[in-house]
């Protein structure tokens, strides 16, 4: 809400804008900006034309001699409307910078010296007119600042009014707060309505009393209709236009401007109907019936819904209550008789259709936050007075005021003990009375001491629709006495915290960082195409991600069912920056749709996963350690799973993961549970995600690990072991894990350790279809030192098993 | 051995052997060579031993005198060997110490990765509150309208809904009744916790939240941390809220900082207050500071006393219990701490940025 300091000063004699802004902010009405209007026209002054003559050799330039109140200057002007001597113009002195950024200096035009510039409205940012220069009233004082002459000087506060303070969406509301803040009286402008009715003789208009009927007093607690006769539509006077401009409203015509002015002045939205176009001159407030339509002011035919609150005349809807008027009944240039509506509509009755039709306006906003039902008449009277003043009308009688159920005064008790308990600050009763009295909460019934201790009772003014409970009064006391008065203490709550946080996720992050990966955070919503590119089986629920109904952009419209897209986007960002050695991870939830019969089926299962992406080259010393391969990714996965569970994961080749290379992919399991997969990103997926080079990735579920048992100690052997090597050619398709399991089975209890030292498969150096493997086996007994004879015997059995079970050829 | 030696000639021979040995090992530079030389002189068939075989032919008096000379020469040779070996070892050590490594070459070994600055900030905040006895609570990010709004006193068709632009999810099947959304704050965790357990409650809820803001200073997803303390009336007050926030900002960003509460409005708290803290750049001085626009303060979050309607919605009796709640952006706090000026930097995953936060 924009608050004009000039306007505010009519209500209360506030100090300067900075002090006012500080006081309002401290009271919860945050001033977010201060605009000093007219400052941008410094250097532009009223000048009197002394003489004018054509510039020699030009068909349109005029040499104008002007007087700025002090001295005489010569300026060349290209406009056709330079007034005759005696006329007043707006002159920008040399050295001025105009609102559009144009710097004014002294120039030579056609050999003639020209100081400054005579300005048009457009050049001063005052309007669109570029037809010619501004010509001012002939009695304007030469030398006076143009900003003052045109009543442009004002300071405007941008006040952030919170949704509970609809009463502050007006200069009156802000004035009430300022009056309390500075202990200054509020000046209530008096409207002599009896005089307006023109009691004396010929000037009086015949009384017109519009019939008003309210069908729904919940939707419309009060409706007042007055008629102003004999108005002449035209532009508003300058002061009125400037007021509206200051609060950001474009002046339209005197009738519309007055309704807007009163809304910003007192917070009461008004509507002016052309009385001639209101059938029967009658008003009925009722809910819409099925199938009704209304053509609104903006010319759009609106489909009404049953229950929309309507203002109707004798025949048809003429306005959507509090939202927008109808085109048929709006005031226009030919209007001579106005039916002025001042009414109170229930917030929901305005909000629901305004929201549905996207018709939020200054008026609907005020109804949504609640207007002062008791202030309806005062606002109407004020508007009547202004219409008489600026549009020359006469008020045709008292009109109609239907208020079927006037308000009972609201009393709220305030227990001082409760006040103390909630704030942690004991505010004495006289101080509470003083603070609340300052915002027009009168004490009713005096302080009574009962079972609850001292209780104060306050009567709530009708404009404070937000105050309904004791706690609301406690807030007012806190707000008014200042939160800086509160001491800063620590609570004495005795509750031992229970097991806390997601230990598995935190540990996973630490392990992955220790493995050299950098953590990223990415958005939970991703591009549907990125998920599709990752690929899922049709019957996989991850293939049908939940969609954001109102995404900001398509790339952020699918709730991720995989962690890969975010990591891929980060990798792509790095690759675009020419950073190619990239190892990233993310730990976070996926969002998987639930089945229709599940608990809370509209929510998602949110399993937590750890995902990683590796690209580029491995660290070497001084030079690269060579391109990353599958085993770098596997190493990270092993470190992660081992760190989380104390057990090495089991990897098994898989060729059916759609987003991984069919020959370079493995499932990862531990303790009999499958966690996820690791492998080389499928070249097709890589291309679809915009990645370059070979990329390795993993995605492991963390939830199965939450119940992993703690590691159990195995005492290290005390007796030395003996090692034997075995080197063989073996079928290239036999996986290392298979060889290892044959070795382990054949070695029996004495075989303590099996390590692969070499896997060599270069064509030409090994027999076709074979690879060379070198294993080191360590034999050890927990009870004694083994003899060479025992070790040799055990090893011979292992070697024999290799040959017999795997057709290995010993080297 | 044709002629029998005299004691004089034998003494001379022994002394000459001692001198000859010294000359011989002076030229030797390895321990095996020196030991070999030692054996040539002192071994069973060594030159000294051979010379001393003549001892038997001398009379006892001369034998004693020559024997003493022999012992002296033997120990002289042994001492020369030790000295020579020590000198050699010393030379080797000296040579080793002359070795110079260019210590400015880079270190070897895989570099550590990093935790995201926001993870680091979140953990630090969790720790500060854990020390005050707060438990970390979590909840779903895809939420129901009830937990995100209704239970927090933000009814449908109420203007306070306009305060937060919400992302909704498309219904999963036609006729799915409830509105499902991405939580706009971590406050639903409050509601879920209170629905699950009786008071007292003392939790903080960190996590991702979503707002439909699209401008350069906002990210549609960010991280929030929210605190809730509920106990019997009289045990917790707004002054405690202020003290808790003061403790937090001082622990997190510096002991010299101040807290300022400014009256405001949130549907789920009453009284409500914006939380400002001293500007972390000018430390509250204000004058001339571009960051706080000269005010000396910067806004970090919202707070207040839990509204009785919220207690009612979760089945607590607002006459019996009282509590405070606060929330702030982890992104914002991390940005202030690490001087990150653009929130989108946090979500790009740029390795050159991440490496700076070990
Ligand atoms: Zn500052």
């Amino acid at each position: 809400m924009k608050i004009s300091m000039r306007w505010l000063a009519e209500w209360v004699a506030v100090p300067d804008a900075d002090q006012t802004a500080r006081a309002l902010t401290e009271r919860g009405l945050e001033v977010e900006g201060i605009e000093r209007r007219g400052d941008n026209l410094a250097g532009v002054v009223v000048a009197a034309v002394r003489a004018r003559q054509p510039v020699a050799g030009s068909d349109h330039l005029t040499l104008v001699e002007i007087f700025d109140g002090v001295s005489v200057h010569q300026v060349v002007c290209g406009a056709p409307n330079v007034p005759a001597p005696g006329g007043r113009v707006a002159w920008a002195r040399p050295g001025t910078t105009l609102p559009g950024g144009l710097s004014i200096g002294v120039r030579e035009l056609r050999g003639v010296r020209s100081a400054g510039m005579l300005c048009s409205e457009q050049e001063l940012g005052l309007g669109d007119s570029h037809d010619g220069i501004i010509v001012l009233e002939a009695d304007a004082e030469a030398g006076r600042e143009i900003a003052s002459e045109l009543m442009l000087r004002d300071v405007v506060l941008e006040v952030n009014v919170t949704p509970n303070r609809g009463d502050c969406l007006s200069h009156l509301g802000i004035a009430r707060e300022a009056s309390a803040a500075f202990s200054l009286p509020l000046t209530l402008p008096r409207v002599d309505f009896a005089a307006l009715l023109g009691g004396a003789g010929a000037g009086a208009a015949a009384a017109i009393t519009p019939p008003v009927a309210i069908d729904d007093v919940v939707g419309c607690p009060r409706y007042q209709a007055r008629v102003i006769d004999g108005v002449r539509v035209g532009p508003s006077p300058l002061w009125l236009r400037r007021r509206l401009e200051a609060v950001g409203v474009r002046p339209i015509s005197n009738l519309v401007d007055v309704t807007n002015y009163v809304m910003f002045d007192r917070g009461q939205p008004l509507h002016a109907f052309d009385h001639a176009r209101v059938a029967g001159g009658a008003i009925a407030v009722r809910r819409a019936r099925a199938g009704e339509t209304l053509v609104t002011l903006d010319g759009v035919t609106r489909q009404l819904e049953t229950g929309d609150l309507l203002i109707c005349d004798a025949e048809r809807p003429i306005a959507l209550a509090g939202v927008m008027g109808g085109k048929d009944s709006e005031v226009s240039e030919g209007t001579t008789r106005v039916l002025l509506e001042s009414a109170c509509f229930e917030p929901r009755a305005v909000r629901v259709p305004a929201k549905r039709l996207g018709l939020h306006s200054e008026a609907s906003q005020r109804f949504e936050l609640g207007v002062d039902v008791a202030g309806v008449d005062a606002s109407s009277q004020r508007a009547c007075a202004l219409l008489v003043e600026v549009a020359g009308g006469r008020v045709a009688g008292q009109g109609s005021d239907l208020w079927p159920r006037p308000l009972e005064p609201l009393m709220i008790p305030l227990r001082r003990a409760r006040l103390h308990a909630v704030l942690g600050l004991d505010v004495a009763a006289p101080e509470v009375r003083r603070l609340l009295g300052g915002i027009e909460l009168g004490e009713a019934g005096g302080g009574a001491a009962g079972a609850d201790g001292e209780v104060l009772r306050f009567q709530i003014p009708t404009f404070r629709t937000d105050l309904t409970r004791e706690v609301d009064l406690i807030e007012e006391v806190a707000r008014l006495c200042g939160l800086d008065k509160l001491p800063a203490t620590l609570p004495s709550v005795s509750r031992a915290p229970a097991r806390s946080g997601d230990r598995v996720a935190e540990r996973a992050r630490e392990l992955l960082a220790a493995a050299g990966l950098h953590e990223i955070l990415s958005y939970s919503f991703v591009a549907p195409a990125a998920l599709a590119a990752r690929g899922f089986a049709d019957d996989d629920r991850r293939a049908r991600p939940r969609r954001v109904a109102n995404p900001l952009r398509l790339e952020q419209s699918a709730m991720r069912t995989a962690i890969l897209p975010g990591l891929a986007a980060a990798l792509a960002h790095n690759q675009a920056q020419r950073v190619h050695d990239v190892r990233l991870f993310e730990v976070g939830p996926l969002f998987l749709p639930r089945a229709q019969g599940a608990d809370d089926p509209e929510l998602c299962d949110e399993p937590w996963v750890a995902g990683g992406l590796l690209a580029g080259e491995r660290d070497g010393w001084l030079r690269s350690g060579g391109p990353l391969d599958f085993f770098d990714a596997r190493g990270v996965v092993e470190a992660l799973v081992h760190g989380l569970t104390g057990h090495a994961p089991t990897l098994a080749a898989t060729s059916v993961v759609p987003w991984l290379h069919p020959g370079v992919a493995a499932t990862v399991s531990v303790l009999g549970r499958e966690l996820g997969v690791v492998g080389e990103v499928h070249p097709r997926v890589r291309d679809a995600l915009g990645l370059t080079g070979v990329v390795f990735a993993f995605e492991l579920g963390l939830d199965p690990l939450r119940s992993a048992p703690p590691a159990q100690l195995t005492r290290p052997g005390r007796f030395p072991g003996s090692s034997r090597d075995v080197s063989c050619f073996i079928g290239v398709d036999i996986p290392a894990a298979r060889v290892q399991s044959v070795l382990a089975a054949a070695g029996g209890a004495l075989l303590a350790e099996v390590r692969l030292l070499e896997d060599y498969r270069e064509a030409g150096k090994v027999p076709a279809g074979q690879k060379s493997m070198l294993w080191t086996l360590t034999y050890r007994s927990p009870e004694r030192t083994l003899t060479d004879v025992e070790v040799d015997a055990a090893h011979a059995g292992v070697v024999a098993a290799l040959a017999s079970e795997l057709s290995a050829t010993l080297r | 051995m044709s002629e029998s030696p005299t004691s004089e000639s034998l003494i001379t021979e022994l002394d000459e052997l001692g001198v000859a040995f010294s000359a011989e090992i002076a030229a030797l530079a390895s321990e095996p060579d020196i030991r070999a030389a030692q054996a040539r002189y002192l071994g069973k068939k060594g030159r000294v031993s051979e010379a001393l075989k003549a001892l038997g032919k001398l009379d006892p008096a001369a034998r004693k005198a020559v024997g003493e000379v022999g012992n002296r020469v033997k120990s002289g040779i042994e001492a020369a060997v030790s000295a020579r070996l020590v000198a050699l070892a010393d030379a080797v050590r000296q040579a080793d110490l002359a070795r110079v490594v260019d210590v400015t070459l880079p270190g070897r070994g895989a570099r550590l990765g990093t935790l995201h600055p926001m993870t680091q900030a979140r953990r630090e905040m969790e720790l500060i509150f854990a020390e005050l006895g707060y438990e970390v609570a979590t909840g779903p990010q895809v939420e129901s309208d009830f937990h995100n709004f209704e239970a927090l006193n933000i009814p449908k068709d109420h203007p306070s809904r306009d305060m937060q632009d919400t992302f909704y999810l498309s219904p999963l099947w036609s006729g799915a009744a409830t509105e499902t959304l991405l939580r706009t704050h971590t406050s639903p965790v409050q509601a879920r916790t209170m629905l699950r357990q009786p008071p007292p409650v003392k939790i903080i809820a960190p996590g991702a939240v979503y707002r439909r803001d699209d401008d350069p200073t906002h990210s549609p997803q960010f991280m929030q941390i929210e605190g809730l303390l509920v106990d019997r009336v009289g045990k917790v007050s707004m002054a405690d809220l202020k003290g808790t926030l003061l403790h937090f900002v001082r622990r997190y960003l510096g002991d010299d900082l101040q807290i300022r509460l400014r009256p405001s409005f949130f549907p789920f708290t009453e009284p409500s207050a914006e939380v400002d803290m001293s500007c972390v750049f000018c430390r509250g001085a204000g004058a001339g500071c571009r960051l706080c626009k000269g005010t000396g303060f910067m806004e970090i979050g919202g707070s207040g006393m839990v509204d009785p309607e919220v207690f009612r919605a979760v089945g607590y009796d607002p006459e019996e219990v009282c509590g405070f709640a606060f929330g702030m952006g982890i992104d914002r706090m991390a940005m202030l701490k690490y001087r990150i000026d653009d929130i989108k930097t946090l979500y790009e995953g740029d390795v050159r940025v991440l490496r700076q936060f070990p």
Side-chain angles (χ1 to χ4, degrees):
Chain A
M1 164 89 196
K2 287 179 192 284
I3 294 292
S4 148
M5 288 299 292
R6 283 180 173 277
W7 194 334
L8 190 63
E10 288 182 5
W11 284 104
V12 56
V14 282
D16 69 22
D18 290 326
Q19 285 186 60
T20 306
R22 204 170 313 123
L24 291 173
T25 297
E26 278 168 10
R27 300 164 77 84
L29 293 156
E30 186 182 0
V31 175
E32 294 178 321
I34 299 181
E35 178 200 359
R36 292 175 201 280
R37 292 173 68 83
D39 274 8
N40 59 351
L41 297 180
V44 185
V45 297
V46 177
V49 175
R50 284 284 192 80
R52 57 175 182 180
Q53 64 181 86
V55 172
S58 165
D59 58 351
H60 68 286
L61 294 178
T62 312
L63 178 60
V64 190
E65 191 179 296
I66 54 148
F67 176 65
D68 68 355
V70 178
S71 49
V72 174
H73 307 270
Q74 275 195 345
V75 56
V76 174
C77 179
N81 65 331
V82 176
R88 299 291 195 265
V89 291
W91 178 59
R93 296 177 186 283
T96 304
T97 302
L98 294 183
L102 182 64
S103 287
I104 306 301
V106 178
R107 297 188 296 161
E108 292 252 326
L109 280 166
R110 307 252 169 180
V112 180
R113 187 183 143 88
S114 173
M117 187 170 100
L118 302 187
C119 303
S120 70
E121 275 192 10
Q122 193 194 43
E123 283 152 354
L124 297 185
L126 300 178
D128 302 331
S129 166
H130 199 79
D131 295 343
I133 56 169
I134 298 174
V135 178
L136 302 160
E137 303 289 324
D139 57 356
E141 179 195 337
R144 189 177 186 208
E145 278 211 314
I146 201 76
S148 304
E149 175 63 25
L150 295 176
M151 304 173 83
L152 290 163
R153 278 225 173 268
D154 200 351
V155 182
V156 177
L157 308 183
E158 180 66 52
V159 184
N160 177 14
V161 176
T162 51
N164 58 326
R165 291 305 303 272
D167 64 301
C168 284
L169 288 173
S170 67
H171 285 77
L172 169 59
I174 296 292
R176 285 190 182 114
E177 288 289 334
S179 144
F182 297 112
S183 301
L184 292 169
L186 208 55
T187 315
L188 294 167
R190 288 171 59 100
V191 176
D192 186 345
F193 198 68
L196 277 183
L197 292 177
I208 301 173
T209 306
V212 173
I214 300 176
D215 203 35
D216 181 347
V217 291
V218 175
C220 176
R222 185 174 184 185
Y223 195 101
Q224 193 180 52
R226 284 202 169 101
V227 174
I228 299 91
D229 202 3
V231 295
R232 285 180 307 279
V233 176
S236 297
L238 189 62
W239 71 265
L240 179 49
R241 284 185 279 141
R242 292 291 181 249
R243 283 288 159 83
L244 293 179
E245 285 163 3
V247 299
V249 172
R250 197 185 166 85
I252 295 169
S253 71
N254 48 9
L255 301 189
V256 177
D257 293 351
V258 163
T259 59
N260 279 330
Y261 178 87
V262 173
M263 174 168 68
F264 286 98
D265 191 40
R266 310 187 55 105
Q268 171 68 55
L270 302 171
H271 189 73
F273 296 100
D274 185 337
H275 186 265
R277 298 158 82 180
V278 174
I283 294 294
V285 187
R286 63 164 172 85
R287 299 281 178 174
R289 296 187 272 264
E292 282 189 295
T293 59
L294 172 69
V295 180
T296 43
L297 281 177
D298 50 8
V300 179
T301 303
R302 306 285 176 178
Q303 207 65 45
L304 303 176
E305 286 196 0
T306 313
D308 287 349
L309 193 65
L310 298 179
I311 312 300
C312 305
D313 61 12
E315 295 164 0
R316 68 210 194 293
I318 55 172
L320 197 50
V323 179
M324 197 180 257
K327 183 137 189 84
D328 288 352
S329 57
E330 75 172 316
V331 292
S332 58
E333 278 179 33
T335 301
T336 58
R337 184 181 283 174
V338 168
L339 188 154
L340 181 72
E341 164 194 293
S342 181
C344 179
F345 303 116
E346 190 254 337
R348 264 183 56 89
V350 173
R351 179 173 172 81
V352 172
K355 194 171 178 189
R356 188 184 76 240
L357 299 171
L359 287 176
H360 284 290
S361 63
E362 295 282 354
S364 73
Q365 185 195 6
R366 283 165 178 75
F367 284 120
E368 287 176 35
L369 299 187
V371 302
D372 178 9
V373 67
V376 163
D377 184 42
S379 296
S380 170
Q381 290 193 17
R382 179 88 173 106
C384 287
L386 282 170
L387 285 173
V388 169
E389 180 187 333
V390 308
R394 290 155 300 162
V395 181
Q398 274 291 0
S400 304
D401 183 3
L402 214 58
W403 190 6
R405 294 180 204 154
L407 290 179
E408 292 290 325
L410 177 62
M411 302 287 188
I412 301 180
L414 172 61
R415 294 167 292 177
R416 271 201 52 230
R418 185 80 183 191
L419 176 72
H420 186 178
V422 171
L423 296 184
L425 176 71
D426 195 9
V427 187
E431 178 66 0
V432 173
R433 285 188 196 102
R434 188 187 69 79
L435 291 170
L436 295 182
I439 53 166
E440 301 178 42
L441 270 64
E443 199 185 0
D452 291 328
E454 191 178 4
V455 181
L456 310 177
R457 280 171 212 288
F458 291 93
Q459 181 169 341
I460 309 304
T462 54
F463 54 85
R464 289 302 302 270
T465 54
D466 59 317
L467 303 183
T468 58
R469 307 166 299 170
E470 179 184 47
V471 70
D472 299 325
L473 297 190
I474 293 174
E475 175 169 67
E476 288 303 287
V477 172
R479 185 173 78 84
L480 297 170
C481 86
L483 293 174
D484 53 339
K485 299 276 193 322
L486 290 185
T489 53
L490 282 177
S492 57
V493 175
S494 49
R495 187 186 167 86
R499 190 182 55 84
S500 203
D502 186 344
R503 297 314 308 157
V504 170
E506 298 291 15
R507 177 87 176 122
R509 290 188 177 98
E510 285 158 11
L511 289 163
L512 291 168
L517 279 67
H518 297 285
E519 186 186 14
I520 66 156
L521 290 178
S522 69
Y523 293 147
S524 302
F525 26 56
V526 299
L531 282 177
R534 186 186 175 286
F536 298 103
D538 285 346
D539 60 347
D540 189 331
R541 60 178 169 159
R542 291 176 297 175
R544 297 180 303 279
R546 294 295 300 269
R547 301 295 287 261
V548 178
N550 55 340
L552 286 171
R553 45 189 74 84
L554 182 65
E555 311 91 86
Q556 298 174 347
S557 66
M559 296 307 291
R560 70 181 180 196
T561 55
I563 200 103
L564 179 71
L567 287 162
L571 174 57
H573 170 85
N574 280 289
Q575 289 184 336
Q577 308 295 319
R578 301 180 190 281
V579 177
H580 296 288
D581 298 337
V582 180
R583 272 151 282 176
L584 303 173
F585 77 92
E586 180 168 13
V587 171
L590 304 179
F591 300 88
L592 308 182
R594 288 183 182 168
Q596 200 157 343
D599 289 345
D600 292 330
E602 76 282 3
L603 301 190
C604 290
D605 287 331
E606 298 184 12
W608 278 62
V609 300
L613 209 54
L614 293 84
E617 308 208 317
R618 118 176 32 98
D619 287 339
W621 192 66
L622 301 187
R623 68 178 69 184
S624 154
L628 290 171
D629 62 25
F630 172 82
F631 303 103
D632 292 283
R634 175 175 171 141
V636 172
V637 166
E638 284 172 334
L640 175 63
V641 174
H642 187 260
L644 288 172
T645 65
H647 295 271
T650 306
L651 276 78
T654 174
S655 56
V656 298
V657 179
W659 60 287
L660 292 177
H661 188 297
V664 193
T667 58
V668 179
S669 312
V670 72
L671 300 170
R673 274 179 289 199
E674 188 170 317
L675 304 180
V677 291
V678 55
E680 180 182 327
V681 175
H682 197 291
R684 169 184 51 75
V685 177
R686 213 168 63 203
D687 292 347
L689 294 175
L691 306 178
T692 53
V694 181
V695 178
F696 299 92
F698 60 86
E699 181 180 292
L700 303 180
L702 295 177
D703 295 330
L705 304 177
R706 291 184 197 282
S707 53
Q712 307 285 304
L713 175 69
T714 307
R715 197 163 280 291
R718 284 189 293 131
F719 298 95
S722 304
S723 295
R724 299 287 185 278
D725 287 353
V726 55
S727 177
C728 61
F729 292 119
I730 195 167
V732 75
D733 294 332
I734 299 174
R738 167 87 180 113
V739 180
Q740 180 159 6
S741 69
V742 167
L743 294 173
L750 295 183
L751 181 56
E753 208 177 298
V754 178
R755 280 182 60 209
L756 177 62
L757 294 188
E758 189 181 272
D759 179 304
Y760 187 74
R761 49 181 81 192
E762 194 177 325
K765 309 234 168 130
V766 291
Q770 303 257 300
K771 62 184 169 184
S772 164
M773 293 187 116
L774 170 60
W775 297 81
T776 279
L777 295 83
T778 304
Y779 298 89
R780 185 185 292 130
S781 161
E783 287 129 19
R784 63 203 156 78
T785 305
L786 296 175
T787 64
D788 281 353
V789 175
E790 286 172 304
V791 172
D792 288 341
H795 190 62
V798 168
V799 171
L802 272 186
S804 63
E805 293 186 36
L806 300 174
S807 310
T809 319
L810 289 188
R811 298 184 64 191
Chain B
M1 296 239 199
S2 51
E3 44 185 321
S4 70
T6 64
S7 61
E8 286 77 16
S9 67
L10 205 47
I11 287 168
T12 307
E13 188 185 349
L14 287 168
D15 281 338
E16 282 171 1
L17 281 173
V19 172
F21 182 79
S22 295
E24 201 170 317
I25 68 165
L28 299 179
S30 83
E31 182 171 355
D33 290 351
I34 291 166
R35 293 292 179 197
Q38 184 183 11
R40 278 199 302 280
Y41 281 79
L42 299 185
K44 279 199 178 87
K45 290 187 174 159
R47 293 173 67 181
V48 174
S49 310
E50 290 294 338
L52 287 174
K53 280 181 183 160
L55 213 56
K57 293 170 183 159
L58 297 178
D59 59 69
R63 199 183 292 164
K64 186 171 184 262
V66 174
E68 281 170 6
V69 171
N71 284 338
R72 177 169 49 76
V73 169
K74 273 186 192 166
S75 54
I77 286 175
E78 274 160 3
V81 165
S82 309
R84 184 66 189 137
L85 287 177
V86 166
L88 268 184
D90 203 45
V92 168
R93 171 67 47 86
Q94 288 305 324
D96 181 51
L97 290 177
R99 208 163 26 89
V100 173
V101 162
D102 181 356
V103 297
T104 65
L105 286 173
R108 189 181 287 126
R111 270 169 291 177
L112 285 174
T114 52
L115 295 180
H116 195 279
M118 221 128 71
T119 296
Q120 299 186 35
R122 173 178 57 74
R123 290 173 150 209
E124 202 177 337
M125 294 182 197
E126 287 176 6
L127 189 64
I128 293 170
F129 285 111
E131 287 167 356
L132 292 175
Y134 288 78
E135 190 179 323
V136 176
T138 55
Q141 298 179 18
V142 171
E143 260 296 6
S144 65
D145 187 272
F146 172 78
H147 288 101
N148 195 75
F149 289 128
E150 302 268 342
L152 297 164
N153 195 30
I154 312 174
K156 283 207 173 59
D157 299 322
H158 193 275
S160 47
R161 287 234 172 170
D162 296 342
M163 293 170 82
Q164 297 171 2
D165 271 329
T166 309
F167 285 112
Y168 288 94
L169 295 191
S170 304
L172 211 42
W173 54 87
S174 63
T178 48
E179 282 181 306
T180 308
L181 46 83
L182 299 181
R183 67 180 182 192
T184 57
H185 43 198
T186 43
S187 312
V189 179
Q190 282 186 22
R192 285 183 177 274
T193 305
M194 288 191 283
L195 284 165
R196 200 169 47 225
Q197 68 171 72
V201 175
K202 196 171 185 183
I203 56 163
I204 48 163
V209 299
Y210 306 85
R211 302 258 176 101
R212 209 173 170 282
D213 278 326
D214 195 21
D215 66 63
T217 60
H218 288 88
S219 165
Q221 176 177 334
F222 57 100
M223 296 267 282
Q224 212 179 41
I225 190 163
E226 179 148 318
L228 172 71
L229 193 160
V230 179
D231 206 337
R232 299 188 64 80
V233 168
K235 292 198 76 173
V236 51
S237 71
M238 198 160 185
D240 294 332
L241 166 65
K242 192 173 178 182
T244 300
L245 292 167
L246 181 66
H247 174 84
F248 167 73
V249 302
R250 290 189 167 177
R251 282 294 306 278
Y252 188 63
L253 289 166
D255 278 340
D256 57 324
L257 299 181
Q258 294 293 339
I259 276 287
R260 181 176 74 179
L261 298 184
R262 220 162 10 88
S264 187
F265 168 78
F266 305 109
F268 33 91
T269 50
E270 184 94 354
S272 302
E274 303 274 7
V275 184
D276 295 346
M277 71 173 178
S278 316
C279 169
V280 296
F281 294 85
C282 65
R283 310 308 283 189
C289 177
R290 291 231 314 270
L291 221 100
C292 58
K293 299 193 186 84
T295 62
F297 280 95
M298 49 207 338
E299 188 178 323
I300 56 168
S303 69
M305 303 306 291
V306 179
D307 194 288
E309 294 308 316
V310 174
F311 285 143
R312 243 173 238 122
V314 298
Y316 287 8
D317 179 355
E319 274 299 302
E320 295 293 317
V321 298
C322 186
F324 64 67
F326 57 85
M328 59 195 126
I330 295 176
D331 308 52
R332 175 146 173 81
M333 297 306 278
M335 287 167 74
L336 290 175
K337 185 153 189 151
Y338 306 125
R339 311 262 161 123
I340 297 168
D341 55 5
D342 178 1
I343 187 167
K344 292 189 176 153
T345 309
L346 293 170
Y347 291 94
E348 279 171 354
D350 192 315
V351 171
R352 297 166 304 173
V353 171
L354 298 174
R355 274 205 195 107
Q356 297 174 38
F357 300 96

